[in-house]
Amino acid sequence: MMKYCYQYPHPAVTTDIVIFTVRDQQLKVLLIKRKGTPYKGKWALPGGFVGIDEDLEQSAKRELAEETGVKGVYLEQLYTFGAPKRDPRERVITVAYFALIPSQKQELRADTDAAAVDWFAINQLPNLAFDHEHIVDMAHQRLVAKLDYSTIAFQFMPKEFTLSELQAVYEIILQQEVDKRNFRKWVLALENIEETGNERREGPHRPAKLYRITNPGEVEIIK
Amino acid sequence: MMKYCYQYPHPAVTTDIVIFTVRDQQLKVLLIKRKGTPYKGKWALPGGFVGIDEDLEQSAKRELAEETGVKGVYLEQLYTFGAPKRDPRERVITVAYFALIPSQKQELRADTDAAAVDWFAINQLPNLAFDHEHIVDMAHQRLVAKLDYSTIAFQFMPKEFTLSELQAVYEIILQQEVDKRNFRKWVLALENIEETGNERREGPHRPAKLYRITNPGEVEIIK
DNA sequence: GCAAAAGTGTTATCCCTACACCCATGA
DNA sequence: TCATGGGTGTAGGGATAACACTTTTGC
């Protein structure tokens, strides 16, 4: 049963993934309800053990797909957490990743390792297993910081979107209002956004032009 | 001999440390010559295995001290590298850290695990063991990026220094000239630098005022 | 007195911010 | 025609960038 033996003790290595989306006017995080021990029944970040011949990012993608059904996202490495007692079972070092997805991108499905999957507003998180609250905090800080000097928030947007929708995303994450004219001036000066030629008409007002990201997955560093 | 056994295979985890300094008008990296296999006799980053109950940053500090004699530096986590074949012995995942030290801070001494220790100019590195060249590249990119929006470069300075010396550090890392008046205006507007009241007289010219960092170890995020 | 690095201000330019009204539509 | 969100320009202030001469010293 205990058949993998080493001359010196080895820690276990996992990946955990913080997936953000913007939905119902809130910044939300994807969590799973743990099926196994420890912390059975508690909410936690999706993640799990790294295969012995598996690349770290591959591992994160696999766990994310297995536990939540989410696929095809651009992961960014966040930080590696390795406090000796962070897992009660054994020494576990976790490499945390984060990513942003458009809210309507895919339906969630709880899979083998998870009893449930759901979105939680960042400021209304349940108690989390392990040090996952700390991980979410750091991911949140990183996200807010990156809004300022990159186009990372564009990853929240679906294929086609209006400038008002994009502005709403910024306002929700920054928790403050943004000037409409300055925002549009700034966005339209960037080179990675363009009109699709289509418009959306919904409601008793002027139709909105639709835009697309020209290089999805690329995060432009700006300013 | 192989007495640490697990139900599933476990990777080994190491830390590696990229230490920068500015010396002889060049940006330099601290390397050790490997005493053991693999890559025996090759130059590599200082680093080694994480103790099973040891914090990651602790481990990096310990290895650095053991192998090079360098102590008391402020480490920042850089990135975690885990490609499956990056070490020929077994699966090894390494958490890389980086730090900056003043050039005259401490004398180096090769210790138990290292046959030699020395500084190498960043653009004249020898062939390195493992994927350490990749790690150094990433640390270098991070350093250059941080010059722009933080006071990280102040960590290169000794207790007392002149503004010309500080400017030279910026010019060496950025590989371009900096305007003297604008640079001084910018530095003196910061709150974490102050005159010591002393001056340095060396050579047939006006003596230079000496400055100190008011909060050593703190990296201010600016702009 | 001369060579060498230290030290010092002003101006022009660009970018960011603040701010208010007309437009196109569905009902 | 009215209510609703979409769309647009300009002016002022603050920060950044360019630029050259005087000061203090050792020899």
Side-chain angles (χ1 to χ4, degrees):
Chain A
M1 205 57 163
M2 302 293 271
K3 56 182 178 178
Y4 298 95
C5 297
Y6 306 91
Q7 197 173 345
Y8 299 100
H10 281 39
V13 176
T14 60
T15 50
D16 287 304
I17 308 99
V18 185
I19 299 287
F20 290 107
T21 200
V22 174
R23 207 179 200 188
D24 306 331
Q25 307 285 87
Q26 290 182 306
L27 179 63
K28 300 202 169 189
V29 177
L30 187 59
L31 299 177
I32 61 158
K33 192 168 213 164
R34 287 181 60 81
K35 216 175 201 171
T37 56
Y39 296 105
K40 185 170 175 178
K42 272 230 172 186
W43 291 94
L45 293 170
F49 293 95
V50 175
I52 197 66
D53 287 315
E54 185 181 42
D55 184 69
L56 293 173
E57 191 171 321
Q58 284 307 317
S59 164
K61 284 185 174 162
R62 176 182 53 74
E63 293 284 354
L64 185 63
E66 283 178 12
E67 293 180 337
T68 71
V70 172
K71 290 178 190 172
V73 298
Y74 295 93
L75 293 176
E76 175 173 326
Q77 200 185 94
L78 173 65
Y79 197 78
T80 297
F81 298 84
K85 302 287 184 192
R86 55 177 298 283
D87 190 308
R89 292 168 291 186
E90 60 174 326
R91 179 72 188 280
V92 179
I93 291 165
T94 195
V95 184
Y97 286 81
F98 80 106
L100 319 183
I101 66 173
S103 63
Q104 70 278 51
K105 188 164 183 183
Q106 51 251 300
E107 281 314 297
L108 306 177
R109 63 187 158 82
D111 216 318
T112 44
D113 297 349
V117 187
D118 211 349
W119 293 105
F120 289 81
I122 188 84
N123 46 13
Q124 293 166 32
L125 294 179
N127 277 334
L128 299 185
F130 308 105
D131 54 356
H132 287 186
E133 186 175 339
H134 183 195
I135 298 177
V136 172
D137 278 350
M138 191 179 284
H140 187 201
Q141 284 172 33
R142 182 94 131 241
L143 170 61
V144 172
K146 285 200 119 176
L147 278 211
D148 244 44
Y149 66 89
S150 81
T151 56
I152 193 174
F154 291 10
Q155 297 188 356
F156 281 122
M157 307 315 290
K159 288 218 179 79
E160 287 192 324
F161 56 90
T162 69
L163 295 187
S164 294
E165 287 167 343
L166 182 58
Q167 182 177 342
V169 164
Y170 274 82
E171 290 178 335
I172 289 162
I173 301 169
L174 296 173
Q175 291 283 298
Q176 61 180 14
E177 292 192 355
V178 171
D179 180 84
K180 197 206 283 192
R181 279 172 291 190
N182 292 336
F183 181 78
R184 291 162 106 93
K185 221 181 304 165
W186 172 77
V187 168
L188 295 174
L190 297 172
E191 289 178 356
N192 41 6
I193 189 170
E194 65 185 13
E195 291 187 25
T196 64
N198 304 326
E199 13 183 73
R200 173 180 304 156
R201 45 189 67 216
E202 50 167 13
H205 56 82
R206 184 167 172 176
K209 287 183 186 171
L210 289 168
Y211 292 81
R212 76 165 72 88
I213 302 304
T214 55
N215 50 353
E218 294 299 305
V219 175
E220 185 102 352
I221 304 298
I222 43 181
K223 265 188 208 166
Chain B
M1 205 56 163
M2 302 293 270
K3 56 182 178 177
Y4 297 94
C5 296
Y6 306 90
Q7 197 173 346
Y8 299 100
H10 280 40
V13 176
T14 60
T15 51
D16 286 304
I17 309 100
V18 185
I19 298 287
F20 290 107
T21 201
V22 173
R23 207 180 200 187
D24 307 330
Q25 308 283 88
Q26 291 182 307
L27 179 63
K28 299 202 169 187
V29 177
L30 187 60
L31 299 176
I32 62 160
K33 192 169 214 165
R34 289 180 60 82
K35 215 175 202 171
T37 55
Y39 295 105
K40 185 171 175 176
K42 273 231 173 186
W43 292 94
L45 293 171
F49 293 95
V50 175
I52 196 65
D53 288 315
E54 187 180 41
D55 184 69
L56 294 172
E57 190 172 322
Q58 283 307 317
S59 164
K61 284 186 174 161
R62 176 182 53 74
E63 293 284 354
L64 185 62
E66 283 177 11
E67 294 181 337
T68 70
V70 172
K71 291 178 190 171
V73 299
Y74 296 93
L75 293 176
E76 175 173 326
Q77 200 185 96
L78 173 66
Y79 196 77
T80 297
F81 298 84
K85 302 288 185 192
R86 56 177 295 284
D87 190 308
R89 292 168 290 186
E90 61 175 325
R91 179 70 189 280
V92 179
I93 291 165
T94 195
V95 184
Y97 286 80
F98 80 106
L100 320 183
I101 66 173
S103 63
Q104 71 277 51
K105 187 164 183 183
Q106 50 252 300
E107 281 314 297
L108 306 176
R109 63 187 156 82
D111 216 318
T112 43
D113 298 347
V117 187
D118 211 349
W119 293 105
F120 289 82
I122 187 84
N123 46 15
Q124 292 165 34
L125 293 179
N127 277 334
L128 299 185
F130 307 105
D131 54 357
H132 287 186
E133 185 175 339
H134 183 196
I135 298 177
V136 171
D137 278 350
M138 191 179 283
H140 186 201
Q141 283 173 32
R142 182 95 131 239
L143 170 61
V144 172
K146 284 200 119 175
L147 278 212
D148 245 43
Y149 65 90
S150 80
T151 57
I152 192 173
F154 290 10
Q155 297 189 355
F156 280 123
M157 306 316 290
K159 288 217 179 81
E160 288 192 323
F161 56 89
T162 70
L163 295 186
S164 295
E165 287 167 344
L166 181 59
Q167 182 177 340
V169 165
Y170 274 82
E171 290 178 335
I172 288 162
I173 301 169
L174 295 173
Q175 291 282 299
Q176 61 181 15
E177 291 191 357
V178 171
D179 180 85
K180 197 207 282 192
R181 280 172 290 189
N182 292 336
F183 180 78
R184 291 161 107 93
K185 223 179 305 166
W186 173 76
V187 168
L188 294 175
L190 298 173
E191 289 178 356
N192 41 5
I193 189 169
E194 66 186 11
E195 290 188 26
T196 65
N198 305 326
E199 11 182 74
R200 174 180 302 155
R201 46 190 66 216
E202 50 166 15
H205 55 82
R206 183 168 173 174
K209 288 183 185 169
L210 290 168
Y211 292 81
R212 77 165 73 86
I213 303 303
T214 55
N215 52 351
E218 294 299 304
V219 175
E220 186 101 355
I221 305 299
I222 44 182
K223 267 188 205 167

